[in-house]
Each structure stands twice: as C-alpha cells, then as structure tokens.
Amino acid sequence: MFTRLTGHYETIVPHLLDRPTINYRRERVDTPDGDFLDLDWYDHPTDARRLVILSHGLEGSSQGAYIVSAARYFARHGWHALAWNCRSCSGEINRTRKLYSHGQSEDLEHVVNHALATGRYDRIVLVGYSMGGNLTLKYLGTAGRDVPAEVTHGVAFSAPCFIEHSVDSLERPDNWIYKRKFYRALAAKVRAKEAQFPGLVDLTALDRIGVWRDFDRAFSSVIGGYDDLEEYYAYLSSGNYVGDTAVPVLIVNALNDPIVPEACTPCALGKTHPLITVEQPRRGGHVGFPLRGRPHNGMDERALAFVSRR
C-alpha cells in the first residue's frame, strides 16, 4: 500500500506544484501524408551544435512541466532543445484521419530528419517520456543501423514498452483518476475526428466502454488502421523493436509507477543487450522523479548524465 501511495504522490504532486513557463519558437512542418506537426524550439544563445529532441506523453504537449523542465535544464548545460507536439496535441486538431499513437514513430523520424536538414546540429539525442519514451525506443529500434550518424543516444522514462500491460493497469481501482483523464481527453478527439471523417468510427460505442481495451478495440485500433487488437498492441510496443537499436539506450521505469507496471519493462534486454541499460529505481512514480529543493527533476539529471557518455 505504501508503494502505491508514494507512486501516486510522485506522479501527481510534481505536476501540480511545478508549472514552469518557457518561451518557445514555434515552427509548423508538413508530413509526407499531408498532415502537420508543430515543433517548439528552445534555442541556446551560443552557437552550440548539439540538440535534444523531447517527446511528450499521452495527451501531453510541449508545455508539459516535465518537457519544459528538460528543455531549460539542457539549455543551461549548453544544448538547444526541440519539443515536438504529436498530431492533435498542439492545440489544433490534425488534418488526416490519423490521430497519434504509441507506435507512430515515423513522425519522430520526420522530426529528426527535419532538424538535421537545418544543418545546425552535429549531434542529436532523443529523450522521451511515457508514450514519448516508447516512441523514442521504437524509432531507434526500427531505424537500426540506418539511424543518422548524428543521433547518438536515446533515453526513455516511464515507457510502456509492452503496452498491453499498461492498458490493463488502468483498470486498477486506485488508477481511476488517470483512466478518467485519458478517457475524457481521447473521447473528445474521437468525436472531433468523426466530425472530420463521418463514418470513421461508431460513436455509440462510447456508451459501451467498460475497460480500456474496449476503447482501443472500438476506436484506437480502428483509427490506427488495425482490425485485430493484439496485432495493434504488438505494433505499439517498443519492446518488440528496441533490440535492434544501434545507439546506446537508457530505459528508466520506477517500480512504484502506477501506470507502467514492471511487466512493461524489457528487463531481459537490459541484462543481455550491450547497448541497452535498464534501470528500475524504487521511487519516481510516472514521469515524476522529484528532487526536493531543486528547480529540476531527477529525469533531467539522469538524461544529461547518460547522453554525456561517449
């Protein structure tokens, strides 16, 4: 019981108490399939040629406290930062029938390639949180040895590497607050997407949702183009791909994370893969990892330390 209570505390409280602000430079880029992504840049005042690309979690954005904290922390240490927003997460619904998902790593690939095309960076590292961590790991796994030479490290915090276990964890009675938050936000986007593309989904199914798998079966998988839910979960799960990474990867999943249970963590890869480091601290919650009395969190410190290894 104590572990669960600390997990909720370290998940919720840091985001209530710490609301840092930041002045980004926004850029909108088109995607190959006719959609758009909004990129928020935080430029370092020097001519440093290194960039951290930050990927947010489910229903998050570049304005999330943990994203802003990371951008500011890396900037204080001489890095440029790019916090990109997944489709529909920047305050405007996206154009295509797709929304976004834990598996849509081609969007992160597009962001990486766009950053490289500017010619401003000799080195890029990727840091992701929750869903964004999963996207980071899947991108590096699917890219494999074809990853751009400038991309040197990947870091994922609170990543649901095997998504079905995280989905099922939402059914725990003490996780009702997260389930309700995600449901309200995603149901609104499903309605918006149906308004854009009439007949895409059956909105009456919203009244029949019991467990989260029902939502994914009726909406997420359909919008994602999958008929079979298990196949969809396999597509989403970075644990099925990250073993092919060609750059060092760090995965940090706290044991008291209420949303990402231990079964989500690819512990076996951490023991056998020379490029994959898995850490499971007792404390940290879900994308929390607070540090008392400091203007940043433990994720910022750990990420910078890891990517500083060459």
Side-chain angles (χ1 to χ4, degrees):
M1 177 61 71
F2 175 76
T3 297
R4 288 194 174 184
L5 287 175
T6 60
H8 291 307
Y9 178 88
E10 291 171 347
T11 298
I12 296 172
V13 173
H15 302 288
L16 295 178
L17 298 180
D18 184 17
R19 302 300 301 177
T21 59
I22 194 168
N23 292 318
Y24 288 122
R25 172 176 59 87
R26 173 154 291 191
E27 178 187 16
R28 175 164 292 187
V29 297
D30 292 326
T31 63
D33 63 343
D35 216 329
F36 67 89
L37 298 171
D38 284 332
L39 315 185
D40 288 329
W41 299 85
Y42 190 58
D43 300 310
H44 192 271
T46 71
D47 59 354
R49 295 184 59 83
R50 52 188 181 179
L51 173 73
V52 58
I53 296 181
L54 304 169
S55 301
H56 65 76
L58 186 69
E59 281 306 285
S61 74
S62 61
Q63 297 296 331
Y66 56 93
I67 296 289
V68 172
S69 179
R72 293 169 61 184
Y73 187 80
F74 269 80
R76 287 198 298 271
H77 290 83
W79 292 72
H80 299 281
L82 167 54
W84 69 288
N85 297 274
C86 292
R87 303 183 191 215
S88 80
C89 292
S90 62
E92 181 180 338
I93 198 67
N94 62 308
R95 299 178 190 134
T96 64
R97 59 171 281 161
K98 284 184 180 181
L99 280 169
Y100 66 94
S101 75
H102 284 72
Q104 206 161 299
S105 57
E106 62 268 26
D107 283 351
L108 176 54
E109 179 182 21
H110 187 62
V111 172
V112 170
N113 291 339
H114 177 76
L116 286 171
T118 67
R120 297 172 56 197
Y121 309 109
D122 298 328
R123 185 173 176 224
I124 292 178
V125 299
L126 311 177
V127 182
Y129 306 83
S130 192
M131 181 193 73
N134 190 76
L135 286 170
T136 296
L137 300 176
K138 186 178 179 187
Y139 163 67
L140 292 174
T142 54
R145 295 190 179 279
D146 293 327
V147 71
E150 294 86 352
V151 177
T152 65
H153 293 75
V155 182
F157 294 100
S158 307
C161 301
F162 299 103
I163 193 68
E164 65 273 16
H165 301 300
S166 183
V167 167
D168 292 339
S169 77
L170 288 175
E171 307 309 324
R172 274 177 24 192
D174 58 308
N175 278 345
W176 65 269
I177 188 171
Y178 314 116
K179 182 179 179 181
R180 184 177 69 173
K181 175 180 180 291
F182 292 145
Y183 177 80
R184 287 181 173 178
L186 290 173
K189 288 189 176 177
V190 165
R191 292 187 180 98
K193 197 53 61 178
E194 171 63 19
Q196 281 181 300
F197 300 94
L200 176 62
V201 293
D202 176 13
L203 287 182
T204 65
L206 286 172
D207 299 326
R208 302 190 296 272
I209 299 299
V211 297
W212 197 266
R213 284 177 178 256
D214 294 338
F215 185 92
D216 283 342
R217 187 175 290 107
F219 302 109
S220 305
S221 60
V222 174
I223 293 173
Y226 280 79
D227 296 323
D228 182 88
L229 186 60
E230 297 309 317
E231 289 183 6
Y232 182 60
Y233 285 162
Y235 154 76
L236 299 180
S237 298
S238 65
N240 296 327
Y241 304 90
V242 69
D244 290 326
T245 182
V247 304
V249 162
L250 171 67
I251 303 169
V252 183
N253 286 354
L255 291 174
N256 69 344
D257 189 322
I259 301 174
V260 176
E262 188 172 6
C264 282
T265 305
C267 298
L269 281 176
K271 294 176 182 177
T272 60
H273 199 296
L275 293 175
I276 297 177
T277 301
V278 174
E279 296 177 355
Q280 295 179 284
R282 290 181 58 249
R283 303 282 295 270
H286 187 76
V287 194
F289 299 89
L291 293 176
R292 186 183 299 274
R294 301 188 192 180
H296 57 272
N297 57 59
M299 296 181 290
D300 300 336
E301 288 189 357
R302 187 67 190 97
L304 182 61
F306 184 77
V307 304
S308 296
R309 301 185 336 190
R310 296 302 296 265

